Amino acid sequence: LATFSLGNAPQTGLCTIIRMGAAAGDLEANTRRWMQQVRLADPEPARLSAFLAQQATLQTEGGWPATVVDLTTWPAENTETESMIAGLVSPGDQTLFLKLTGPRPLLDAERTAFRALVQSLRPGGE
C-alpha cells in the first residue's frame, strides 16, 4: 500500500505497509520470518514465546487489534546492524503489516512515531 524512506544518509530506513489476506500467518511465524530478514538466528520456541509476550499490544483508532514487535530489543552482537520494528494489524478478514527497517540508532529515534503510525490506522473511504 505504501513505501517511504526516512532519515539522512548514512542513517536511512524504509517503512512499508502491506495488506494481505487473513491467512498471512500467525505472529510467531511472521516474527521468525522478520528475524531472518535482519539476520537474527532462529530462536528456541520458549525464548521466542517469552519475547513475544513482552511486545506491545494495542488497539488502533479503527478499533483493530495490533501487535508491535520490536526486534531492536532482541540481543544482537552488533547494535549498529540493521534491525526492524514491525506492526501486525488484523482488521477483520485482512492482515496489515507495517515494517520499519534500518540501523538500530535510527529505529530507536523513530520508535514512538512508528507506534503512533500503527495506532492511527482506521477504516477509510473507497
Side-chain angles (χ1 to χ4, degrees):
L1 298 173
T3 301
F4 54 93
S5 60
L6 64 151
N8 296 308
Q11 297 283 307
T12 60
L14 187 68
C15 184
T16 58
I17 303 173
I18 301 166
R19 179 179 55 205
M20 300 182 80
D26 65 9
L27 182 61
E28 183 177 324
N30 281 292
T31 300
R32 286 185 185 281
R33 184 172 42 80
W34 297 330
M35 292 176 101
Q36 289 174 351
Q37 290 173 357
V38 294
R39 296 174 183 86
L40 293 172
D42 191 25
E44 295 291 324
R47 186 172 181 208
L48 181 58
S49 292
F51 173 75
L52 290 176
Q54 297 173 349
Q55 301 308 295
T57 57
L58 51 97
Q59 191 169 42
T60 70
E61 290 179 13
W64 300 325
T67 302
V68 176
V69 178
D70 189 346
L71 295 179
T72 68
T73 63
W74 186 266
E77 291 180 18
N78 182 353
T79 59
E80 296 297 317
T81 60
E82 184 168 297
S83 193
M84 178 187 301
I85 304 173
L88 189 147
V89 182
S90 302
D93 63 347
Q94 306 178 54
T95 302
L96 297 174
F97 295 103
L98 295 87
K99 295 190 324 185
L100 179 60
T101 57
R104 285 175 184 250
L106 176 66
L107 299 187
D108 288 342
E110 298 297 334
R111 179 177 289 108
T112 301
F114 180 78
R115 185 176 170 148
L117 173 63
V118 172
Q119 208 157 13
S120 74
L121 297 177
R122 61 185 179 276
E126 295 294 316

PDB file of all heavy atoms in Angstrom, residues 52-91:
ATOM      1  N   LEU A  52       7.780 -12.579  22.609  1.00  0.00           N
ATOM      2  CA  LEU A  52       6.519 -12.075  22.061  1.00  0.00           C
ATOM      3  C   LEU A  52       5.556 -11.650  23.164  1.00  0.00           C
ATOM      4  O   LEU A  52       4.786 -10.702  22.972  1.00  0.00           O
ATOM      5  CB  LEU A  52       5.886 -13.124  21.149  1.00  0.00           C
ATOM      6  CG  LEU A  52       6.633 -13.364  19.837  1.00  0.00           C
ATOM      7  CD1 LEU A  52       5.990 -14.494  19.051  1.00  0.00           C
ATOM      8  CD2 LEU A  52       6.705 -12.088  19.009  1.00  0.00           C
ATOM      9  N   ALA A  53       5.613 -12.293  24.307  1.00  0.00           N
ATOM     10  CA  ALA A  53       4.750 -11.912  25.422  1.00  0.00           C
ATOM     11  C   ALA A  53       5.081 -10.514  25.945  1.00  0.00           C
ATOM     12  O   ALA A  53       4.236  -9.864  26.566  1.00  0.00           O
ATOM     13  CB  ALA A  53       4.868 -12.938  26.543  1.00  0.00           C
ATOM     14  N   GLN A  54       6.287 -10.038  25.673  1.00  0.00           N
ATOM     15  CA  GLN A  54       6.718  -8.720  26.136  1.00  0.00           C
ATOM     16  C   GLN A  54       6.435  -7.608  25.120  1.00  0.00           C
ATOM     17  O   GLN A  54       6.647  -6.431  25.425  1.00  0.00           O
ATOM     18  CB  GLN A  54       8.217  -8.732  26.424  1.00  0.00           C
ATOM     19  CG  GLN A  54       8.614  -9.667  27.531  1.00  0.00           C
ATOM     20  CD  GLN A  54      10.116  -9.787  27.667  1.00  0.00           C
ATOM     21  OE1 GLN A  54      10.887  -9.337  26.817  1.00  0.00           O
ATOM     22  NE2 GLN A  54      10.564 -10.401  28.750  1.00  0.00           N
ATOM     23  N   GLN A  55       5.965  -7.960  23.930  1.00  0.00           N
ATOM     24  CA  GLN A  55       5.758  -6.962  22.889  1.00  0.00           C
ATOM     25  C   GLN A  55       4.450  -6.206  23.109  1.00  0.00           C
ATOM     26  O   GLN A  55       3.510  -6.716  23.730  1.00  0.00           O
ATOM     27  CB  GLN A  55       5.786  -7.622  21.509  1.00  0.00           C
ATOM     28  CG  GLN A  55       7.092  -8.341  21.205  1.00  0.00           C
ATOM     29  CD  GLN A  55       8.313  -7.456  21.424  1.00  0.00           C
ATOM     30  OE1 GLN A  55       8.505  -6.460  20.737  1.00  0.00           O
ATOM     31  NE2 GLN A  55       9.146  -7.827  22.389  1.00  0.00           N
ATOM     32  N   ALA A  56       4.396  -4.995  22.578  1.00  0.00           N
ATOM     33  CA  ALA A  56       3.244  -4.109  22.779  1.00  0.00           C
ATOM     34  C   ALA A  56       2.032  -4.589  21.995  1.00  0.00           C
ATOM     35  O   ALA A  56       2.125  -4.873  20.800  1.00  0.00           O
ATOM     36  CB  ALA A  56       3.600  -2.689  22.349  1.00  0.00           C
ATOM     37  N   THR A  57       0.914  -4.699  22.682  1.00  0.00           N
ATOM     38  CA  THR A  57      -0.359  -4.947  22.012  1.00  0.00           C
ATOM     39  C   THR A  57      -1.208  -3.704  22.229  1.00  0.00           C
ATOM     40  O   THR A  57      -1.170  -3.079  23.284  1.00  0.00           O
ATOM     41  CB  THR A  57      -1.075  -6.191  22.568  1.00  0.00           C
ATOM     42  OG1 THR A  57      -1.263  -6.030  23.967  1.00  0.00           O
ATOM     43  CG2 THR A  57      -0.268  -7.461  22.308  1.00  0.00           C
ATOM     44  N   LEU A  58      -1.935  -3.331  21.201  1.00  0.00           N
ATOM     45  CA  LEU A  58      -2.731  -2.120  21.278  1.00  0.00           C
ATOM     46  C   LEU A  58      -3.930  -2.237  20.375  1.00  0.00           C
ATOM     47  O   LEU A  58      -4.090  -3.218  19.653  1.00  0.00           O
ATOM     48  CB  LEU A  58      -1.876  -0.899  20.914  1.00  0.00           C
ATOM     49  CG  LEU A  58      -1.067  -0.968  19.608  1.00  0.00           C
ATOM     50  CD1 LEU A  58      -1.804  -0.293  18.475  1.00  0.00           C
ATOM     51  CD2 LEU A  58       0.275  -0.299  19.835  1.00  0.00           C
ATOM     52  N   GLN A  59      -4.756  -1.232  20.400  1.00  0.00           N
ATOM     53  CA  GLN A  59      -5.907  -1.151  19.526  1.00  0.00           C
ATOM     54  C   GLN A  59      -5.747   0.107  18.691  1.00  0.00           C
ATOM     55  O   GLN A  59      -5.422   1.175  19.224  1.00  0.00           O
ATOM     56  CB  GLN A  59      -7.188  -1.098  20.355  1.00  0.00           C
ATOM     57  CG  GLN A  59      -8.438  -1.272  19.535  1.00  0.00           C
ATOM     58  CD  GLN A  59      -9.648  -1.476  20.430  1.00  0.00           C
ATOM     59  OE1 GLN A  59      -9.799  -0.805  21.445  1.00  0.00           O
ATOM     60  NE2 GLN A  59     -10.509  -2.394  20.053  1.00  0.00           N
ATOM     61  N   THR A  60      -5.969  -0.017  17.388  1.00  0.00           N
ATOM     62  CA  THR A  60      -5.828   1.141  16.516  1.00  0.00           C
ATOM     63  C   THR A  60      -7.028   2.074  16.694  1.00  0.00           C
ATOM     64  O   THR A  60      -8.030   1.703  17.317  1.00  0.00           O
ATOM     65  CB  THR A  60      -5.734   0.718  15.038  1.00  0.00           C
ATOM     66  OG1 THR A  60      -7.014   0.214  14.613  1.00  0.00           O
ATOM     67  CG2 THR A  60      -4.651  -0.330  14.820  1.00  0.00           C
ATOM     68  N   GLU A  61      -6.932   3.263  16.114  1.00  0.00           N
ATOM     69  CA  GLU A  61      -8.053   4.199  16.168  1.00  0.00           C
ATOM     70  C   GLU A  61      -9.300   3.612  15.528  1.00  0.00           C
ATOM     71  O   GLU A  61     -10.411   3.990  15.871  1.00  0.00           O
ATOM     72  CB  GLU A  61      -7.672   5.520  15.493  1.00  0.00           C
ATOM     73  CG  GLU A  61      -6.664   6.316  16.285  1.00  0.00           C
ATOM     74  CD  GLU A  61      -6.264   7.615  15.593  1.00  0.00           C
ATOM     75  OE1 GLU A  61      -6.937   8.034  14.625  1.00  0.00           O
ATOM     76  OE2 GLU A  61      -5.272   8.210  16.036  1.00  0.00           O
ATOM     77  N   GLY A  62      -9.108   2.675  14.598  1.00  0.00           N
ATOM     78  CA  GLY A  62     -10.233   1.992  13.962  1.00  0.00           C
ATOM     79  C   GLY A  62     -10.769   0.839  14.779  1.00  0.00           C
ATOM     80  O   GLY A  62     -11.677   0.133  14.348  1.00  0.00           O
ATOM     81  N   GLY A  63     -10.185   0.587  15.962  1.00  0.00           N
ATOM     82  CA  GLY A  63     -10.652  -0.491  16.815  1.00  0.00           C
ATOM     83  C   GLY A  63     -10.068  -1.852  16.471  1.00  0.00           C
ATOM     84  O   GLY A  63     -10.542  -2.875  16.956  1.00  0.00           O
ATOM     85  N   TRP A  64      -9.033  -1.889  15.655  1.00  0.00           N
ATOM     86  CA  TRP A  64      -8.431  -3.158  15.246  1.00  0.00           C
ATOM     87  C   TRP A  64      -7.334  -3.570  16.221  1.00  0.00           C
ATOM     88  O   TRP A  64      -6.564  -2.731  16.690  1.00  0.00           O
ATOM     89  CB  TRP A  64      -7.833  -3.027  13.855  1.00  0.00           C
ATOM     90  CG  TRP A  64      -8.804  -2.650  12.790  1.00  0.00           C
ATOM     91  CD1 TRP A  64     -10.111  -3.025  12.692  1.00  0.00           C
ATOM     92  CD2 TRP A  64      -8.554  -1.813  11.666  1.00  0.00           C
ATOM     93  NE1 TRP A  64     -10.681  -2.484  11.567  1.00  0.00           N
ATOM     94  CE2 TRP A  64      -9.748  -1.729  10.921  1.00  0.00           C
ATOM     95  CE3 TRP A  64      -7.435  -1.126  11.217  1.00  0.00           C
ATOM     96  CZ2 TRP A  64      -9.858  -1.000   9.744  1.00  0.00           C
ATOM     97  CZ3 TRP A  64      -7.533  -0.399  10.035  1.00  0.00           C
ATOM     98  CH2 TRP A  64      -8.733  -0.340   9.321  1.00  0.00           C
ATOM     99  N   PRO A  65      -7.217  -4.865  16.501  1.00  0.00           N
ATOM    100  CA  PRO A  65      -6.128  -5.328  17.356  1.00  0.00           C
ATOM    101  C   PRO A  65      -4.797  -5.254  16.605  1.00  0.00           C
ATOM    102  O   PRO A  65      -4.726  -5.520  15.402  1.00  0.00           O
ATOM    103  CB  PRO A  65      -6.506  -6.781  17.672  1.00  0.00           C
ATOM    104  CG  PRO A  65      -7.395  -7.197  16.548  1.00  0.00           C
ATOM    105  CD  PRO A  65      -8.103  -5.953  16.076  1.00  0.00           C
ATOM    106  N   ALA A  66      -3.749  -4.899  17.322  1.00  0.00           N
ATOM    107  CA  ALA A  66      -2.422  -4.765  16.710  1.00  0.00           C
ATOM    108  C   ALA A  66      -1.357  -5.197  17.708  1.00  0.00           C
ATOM    109  O   ALA A  66      -1.533  -5.067  18.918  1.00  0.00           O
ATOM    110  CB  ALA A  66      -2.169  -3.327  16.277  1.00  0.00           C
ATOM    111  N   THR A  67      -0.268  -5.711  17.177  1.00  0.00           N
ATOM    112  CA  THR A  67       0.910  -6.031  17.972  1.00  0.00           C
ATOM    113  C   THR A  67       2.101  -5.376  17.310  1.00  0.00           C
ATOM    114  O   THR A  67       2.254  -5.434  16.080  1.00  0.00           O
ATOM    115  CB  THR A  67       1.143  -7.558  18.049  1.00  0.00           C
ATOM    116  OG1 THR A  67      -0.020  -8.169  18.599  1.00  0.00           O
ATOM    117  CG2 THR A  67       2.353  -7.897  18.897  1.00  0.00           C
ATOM    118  N   VAL A  68       2.954  -4.733  18.091  1.00  0.00           N
ATOM    119  CA  VAL A  68       4.183  -4.137  17.589  1.00  0.00           C
ATOM    120  C   VAL A  68       5.341  -4.984  18.108  1.00  0.00           C
ATOM    121  O   VAL A  68       5.510  -5.127  19.319  1.00  0.00           O
ATOM    122  CB  VAL A  68       4.333  -2.665  18.027  1.00  0.00           C
ATOM    123  CG1 VAL A  68       5.671  -2.102  17.570  1.00  0.00           C
ATOM    124  CG2 VAL A  68       3.172  -1.830  17.490  1.00  0.00           C
ATOM    125  N   VAL A  69       6.096  -5.561  17.178  1.00  0.00           N
ATOM    126  CA  VAL A  69       7.236  -6.415  17.513  1.00  0.00           C
ATOM    127  C   VAL A  69       8.504  -5.607  17.277  1.00  0.00           C
ATOM    128  O   VAL A  69       8.804  -5.236  16.140  1.00  0.00           O
ATOM    129  CB  VAL A  69       7.244  -7.702  16.663  1.00  0.00           C
ATOM    130  CG1 VAL A  69       8.467  -8.550  16.980  1.00  0.00           C
ATOM    131  CG2 VAL A  69       5.955  -8.490  16.887  1.00  0.00           C
ATOM    132  N   ASP A  70       9.232  -5.344  18.339  1.00  0.00           N
ATOM    133  CA  ASP A  70      10.431  -4.509  18.265  1.00  0.00           C
ATOM    134  C   ASP A  70      11.676  -5.392  18.328  1.00  0.00           C
ATOM    135  O   ASP A  70      12.146  -5.766  19.396  1.00  0.00           O
ATOM    136  CB  ASP A  70      10.427  -3.503  19.417  1.00  0.00           C
ATOM    137  CG  ASP A  70      11.514  -2.467  19.294  1.00  0.00           C
ATOM    138  OD1 ASP A  70      12.446  -2.649  18.474  1.00  0.00           O
ATOM    139  OD2 ASP A  70      11.447  -1.473  20.029  1.00  0.00           O
ATOM    140  N   LEU A  71      12.206  -5.728  17.154  1.00  0.00           N
ATOM    141  CA  LEU A  71      13.385  -6.591  17.090  1.00  0.00           C
ATOM    142  C   LEU A  71      14.656  -5.874  17.545  1.00  0.00           C
ATOM    143  O   LEU A  71      15.673  -6.531  17.766  1.00  0.00           O
ATOM    144  CB  LEU A  71      13.559  -7.159  15.688  1.00  0.00           C
ATOM    145  CG  LEU A  71      12.454  -8.110  15.220  1.00  0.00           C
ATOM    146  CD1 LEU A  71      12.728  -8.594  13.805  1.00  0.00           C
ATOM    147  CD2 LEU A  71      12.278  -9.276  16.171  1.00  0.00           C
ATOM    148  N   THR A  72      14.595  -4.556  17.723  1.00  0.00           N
ATOM    149  CA  THR A  72      15.781  -3.858  18.246  1.00  0.00           C
ATOM    150  C   THR A  72      16.037  -4.241  19.693  1.00  0.00           C
ATOM    151  O   THR A  72      17.137  -4.026  20.201  1.00  0.00           O
ATOM    152  CB  THR A  72      15.657  -2.323  18.145  1.00  0.00           C
ATOM    153  OG1 THR A  72      14.645  -1.866  19.039  1.00  0.00           O
ATOM    154  CG2 THR A  72      15.349  -1.872  16.729  1.00  0.00           C
ATOM    155  N   THR A  73      15.029  -4.804  20.362  1.00  0.00           N
ATOM    156  CA  THR A  73      15.196  -5.212  21.753  1.00  0.00           C
ATOM    157  C   THR A  73      15.711  -6.648  21.880  1.00  0.00           C
ATOM    158  O   THR A  73      15.981  -7.109  22.984  1.00  0.00           O
ATOM    159  CB  THR A  73      13.879  -5.068  22.542  1.00  0.00           C
ATOM    160  OG1 THR A  73      12.902  -5.954  21.989  1.00  0.00           O
ATOM    161  CG2 THR A  73      13.381  -3.629  22.498  1.00  0.00           C
ATOM    162  N   TRP A  74      15.827  -7.343  20.758  1.00  0.00           N
ATOM    163  CA  TRP A  74      16.388  -8.691  20.769  1.00  0.00           C
ATOM    164  C   TRP A  74      17.905  -8.559  20.839  1.00  0.00           C
ATOM    165  O   TRP A  74      18.488  -7.783  20.078  1.00  0.00           O
ATOM    166  CB  TRP A  74      15.984  -9.441  19.493  1.00  0.00           C
ATOM    167  CG  TRP A  74      16.389 -10.878  19.495  1.00  0.00           C
ATOM    168  CD1 TRP A  74      17.533 -11.398  18.977  1.00  0.00           C
ATOM    169  CD2 TRP A  74      15.664 -11.973  20.026  1.00  0.00           C
ATOM    170  NE1 TRP A  74      17.564 -12.747  19.150  1.00  0.00           N
ATOM    171  CE2 TRP A  74      16.425 -13.135  19.804  1.00  0.00           C
ATOM    172  CE3 TRP A  74      14.434 -12.087  20.683  1.00  0.00           C
ATOM    173  CZ2 TRP A  74      15.994 -14.397  20.211  1.00  0.00           C
ATOM    174  CZ3 TRP A  74      14.018 -13.346  21.079  1.00  0.00           C
ATOM    175  CH2 TRP A  74      14.794 -14.480  20.844  1.00  0.00           C
ATOM    176  N   PRO A  75      18.580  -9.284  21.722  1.00  0.00           N
ATOM    177  CA  PRO A  75      20.035  -9.153  21.833  1.00  0.00           C
ATOM    178  C   PRO A  75      20.742  -9.424  20.502  1.00  0.00           C
ATOM    179  O   PRO A  75      20.419 -10.384  19.805  1.00  0.00           O
ATOM    180  CB  PRO A  75      20.411 -10.213  22.870  1.00  0.00           C
ATOM    181  CG  PRO A  75      19.158 -10.462  23.630  1.00  0.00           C
ATOM    182  CD  PRO A  75      18.030 -10.256  22.663  1.00  0.00           C
ATOM    183  N   ALA A  76      21.675  -8.560  20.173  1.00  0.00           N
ATOM    184  CA  ALA A  76      22.457  -8.717  18.945  1.00  0.00           C
ATOM    185  C   ALA A  76      23.920  -8.440  19.261  1.00  0.00           C
ATOM    186  O   ALA A  76      24.233  -7.653  20.156  1.00  0.00           O
ATOM    187  CB  ALA A  76      21.965  -7.757  17.874  1.00  0.00           C
ATOM    188  N   GLU A  77      24.792  -9.101  18.513  1.00  0.00           N
ATOM    189  CA  GLU A  77      26.228  -8.897  18.726  1.00  0.00           C
ATOM    190  C   GLU A  77      26.652  -7.477  18.378  1.00  0.00           C
ATOM    191  O   GLU A  77      27.471  -6.881  19.044  1.00  0.00           O
ATOM    192  CB  GLU A  77      27.020  -9.897  17.886  1.00  0.00           C
ATOM    193  CG  GLU A  77      26.878 -11.324  18.367  1.00  0.00           C
ATOM    194  CD  GLU A  77      27.660 -12.294  17.518  1.00  0.00           C
ATOM    195  OE1 GLU A  77      28.574 -11.864  16.781  1.00  0.00           O
ATOM    196  OE2 GLU A  77      27.344 -13.494  17.579  1.00  0.00           O
ATOM    197  N   ASN A  78      26.064  -6.941  17.327  1.00  0.00           N
ATOM    198  CA  ASN A  78      26.430  -5.607  16.862  1.00  0.00           C
ATOM    199  C   ASN A  78      25.189  -4.726  16.892  1.00  0.00           C
ATOM    200  O   ASN A  78      24.274  -4.927  16.099  1.00  0.00           O
ATOM    201  CB  ASN A  78      27.010  -5.687  15.443  1.00  0.00           C
ATOM    202  CG  ASN A  78      27.452  -4.339  14.919  1.00  0.00           C
ATOM    203  OD1 ASN A  78      27.224  -3.305  15.546  1.00  0.00           O
ATOM    204  ND2 ASN A  78      28.082  -4.337  13.765  1.00  0.00           N
ATOM    205  N   THR A  79      25.149  -3.755  17.770  1.00  0.00           N
ATOM    206  CA  THR A  79      23.971  -2.897  17.883  1.00  0.00           C
ATOM    207  C   THR A  79      23.888  -1.857  16.775  1.00  0.00           C
ATOM    208  O   THR A  79      22.926  -1.101  16.726  1.00  0.00           O
ATOM    209  CB  THR A  79      23.937  -2.194  19.251  1.00  0.00           C
ATOM    210  OG1 THR A  79      25.119  -1.414  19.401  1.00  0.00           O
ATOM    211  CG2 THR A  79      23.817  -3.191  20.380  1.00  0.00           C
ATOM    212  N   GLU A  80      24.868  -1.805  15.890  1.00  0.00           N
ATOM    213  CA  GLU A  80      24.823  -0.868  14.770  1.00  0.00           C
ATOM    214  C   GLU A  80      24.237  -1.517  13.517  1.00  0.00           C
ATOM    215  O   GLU A  80      24.079  -0.872  12.498  1.00  0.00           O
ATOM    216  CB  GLU A  80      26.231  -0.334  14.455  1.00  0.00           C
ATOM    217  CG  GLU A  80      26.834   0.481  15.592  1.00  0.00           C
ATOM    218  CD  GLU A  80      26.038   1.746  15.895  1.00  0.00           C
ATOM    219  OE1 GLU A  80      25.621   2.441  14.952  1.00  0.00           O
ATOM    220  OE2 GLU A  80      25.843   2.035  17.088  1.00  0.00           O
ATOM    221  N   THR A  81      23.923  -2.807  13.573  1.00  0.00           N
ATOM    222  CA  THR A  81      23.403  -3.509  12.402  1.00  0.00           C
ATOM    223  C   THR A  81      21.961  -3.118  12.129  1.00  0.00           C
ATOM    224  O   THR A  81      21.280  -2.536  12.976  1.00  0.00           O
ATOM    225  CB  THR A  81      23.480  -5.037  12.598  1.00  0.00           C
ATOM    226  OG1 THR A  81      22.689  -5.382  13.736  1.00  0.00           O
ATOM    227  CG2 THR A  81      24.900  -5.503  12.780  1.00  0.00           C
ATOM    228  N   GLU A  82      21.498  -3.486  10.942  1.00  0.00           N
ATOM    229  CA  GLU A  82      20.117  -3.217  10.575  1.00  0.00           C
ATOM    230  C   GLU A  82      19.180  -4.059  11.426  1.00  0.00           C
ATOM    231  O   GLU A  82      19.473  -5.201  11.757  1.00  0.00           O
ATOM    232  CB  GLU A  82      19.899  -3.539   9.092  1.00  0.00           C
ATOM    233  CG  GLU A  82      18.509  -3.181   8.625  1.00  0.00           C
ATOM    234  CD  GLU A  82      18.356  -3.220   7.124  1.00  0.00           C
ATOM    235  OE1 GLU A  82      19.024  -2.435   6.439  1.00  0.00           O
ATOM    236  OE2 GLU A  82      17.554  -4.042   6.655  1.00  0.00           O
ATOM    237  N   SER A  83      18.047  -3.475  11.764  1.00  0.00           N
ATOM    238  CA  SER A  83      17.051  -4.186  12.551  1.00  0.00           C
ATOM    239  C   SER A  83      15.666  -3.810  12.033  1.00  0.00           C
ATOM    240  O   SER A  83      15.550  -3.200  10.961  1.00  0.00           O
ATOM    241  CB  SER A  83      17.201  -3.862  14.044  1.00  0.00           C
ATOM    242  OG  SER A  83      16.438  -4.768  14.822  1.00  0.00           O
ATOM    243  N   MET A  84      14.639  -4.150  12.816  1.00  0.00           N
ATOM    244  CA  MET A  84      13.273  -3.931  12.351  1.00  0.00           C
ATOM    245  C   MET A  84      12.337  -3.743  13.532  1.00  0.00           C
ATOM    246  O   MET A  84      12.507  -4.341  14.587  1.00  0.00           O
ATOM    247  CB  MET A  84      12.809  -5.154  11.540  1.00  0.00           C
ATOM    248  CG  MET A  84      11.391  -5.092  11.030  1.00  0.00           C
ATOM    249  SD  MET A  84      10.837  -6.659  10.255  1.00  0.00           S
ATOM    250  CE  MET A  84      12.024  -6.874   8.950  1.00  0.00           C
ATOM    251  N   ILE A  85      11.342  -2.888  13.312  1.00  0.00           N
ATOM    252  CA  ILE A  85      10.182  -2.796  14.181  1.00  0.00           C
ATOM    253  C   ILE A  85       8.999  -3.066  13.261  1.00  0.00           C
ATOM    254  O   ILE A  85       8.874  -2.444  12.204  1.00  0.00           O
ATOM    255  CB  ILE A  85      10.050  -1.417  14.854  1.00  0.00           C
ATOM    256  CG1 ILE A  85      11.313  -1.058  15.635  1.00  0.00           C
ATOM    257  CG2 ILE A  85       8.826  -1.398  15.774  1.00  0.00           C
ATOM    258  CD1 ILE A  85      11.319   0.363  16.179  1.00  0.00           C
ATOM    259  N   ALA A  86       8.150  -4.024  13.635  1.00  0.00           N
ATOM    260  CA  ALA A  86       7.050  -4.422  12.758  1.00  0.00           C
ATOM    261  C   ALA A  86       5.731  -4.363  13.506  1.00  0.00           C
ATOM    262  O   ALA A  86       5.658  -4.664  14.698  1.00  0.00           O
ATOM    263  CB  ALA A  86       7.287  -5.831  12.232  1.00  0.00           C
ATOM    264  N   GLY A  87       4.701  -3.978  12.782  1.00  0.00           N
ATOM    265  CA  GLY A  87       3.351  -3.979  13.328  1.00  0.00           C
ATOM    266  C   GLY A  87       2.494  -4.952  12.548  1.00  0.00           C
ATOM    267  O   GLY A  87       2.554  -5.001  11.321  1.00  0.00           O
ATOM    268  N   LEU A  88       1.733  -5.745  13.257  1.00  0.00           N
ATOM    269  CA  LEU A  88       0.792  -6.674  12.646  1.00  0.00           C
ATOM    270  C   LEU A  88      -0.589  -6.254  13.115  1.00  0.00           C
ATOM    271  O   LEU A  88      -0.867  -6.247  14.314  1.00  0.00           O
ATOM    272  CB  LEU A  88       1.117  -8.101  13.082  1.00  0.00           C
ATOM    273  CG  LEU A  88       0.370  -9.208  12.362  1.00  0.00           C
ATOM    274  CD1 LEU A  88       1.266 -10.431  12.248  1.00  0.00           C
ATOM    275  CD2 LEU A  88      -0.916  -9.555  13.059  1.00  0.00           C
ATOM    276  N   VAL A  89      -1.436  -5.844  12.163  1.00  0.00           N
ATOM    277  CA  VAL A  89      -2.767  -5.335  12.467  1.00  0.00           C
ATOM    278  C   VAL A  89      -3.785  -6.242  11.783  1.00  0.00           C
ATOM    279  O   VAL A  89      -3.603  -6.613  10.627  1.00  0.00           O
ATOM    280  CB  VAL A  89      -2.928  -3.876  11.965  1.00  0.00           C
ATOM    281  CG1 VAL A  89      -4.295  -3.317  12.321  1.00  0.00           C
ATOM    282  CG2 VAL A  89      -1.819  -2.990  12.526  1.00  0.00           C
ATOM    283  N   SER A  90      -4.852  -6.580  12.508  1.00  0.00           N
ATOM    284  CA  SER A  90      -5.838  -7.526  11.982  1.00  0.00           C
ATOM    285  C   SER A  90      -7.222  -6.896  11.872  1.00  0.00           C
ATOM    286  O   SER A  90      -8.052  -7.040  12.759  1.00  0.00           O
ATOM    287  CB  SER A  90      -5.911  -8.755  12.893  1.00  0.00           C
ATOM    288  OG  SER A  90      -4.654  -9.355  12.993  1.00  0.00           O
ATOM    289  N   PRO A  91      -7.485  -6.201  10.744  1.00  0.00           N
ATOM    290  CA  PRO A  91      -8.825  -5.635  10.548  1.00  0.00           C
ATOM    291  C   PRO A  91      -9.754  -6.637   9.855  1.00  0.00           C
ATOM    292  O   PRO A  91      -9.904  -6.641   8.638  1.00  0.00           O
ATOM    293  CB  PRO A  91      -8.579  -4.412   9.674  1.00  0.00           C
ATOM    294  CG  PRO A  91      -7.353  -4.761   8.890  1.00  0.00           C
ATOM    295  CD  PRO A  91      -6.548  -5.702   9.756  1.00  0.00           C
TER     296      PRO A  91
END
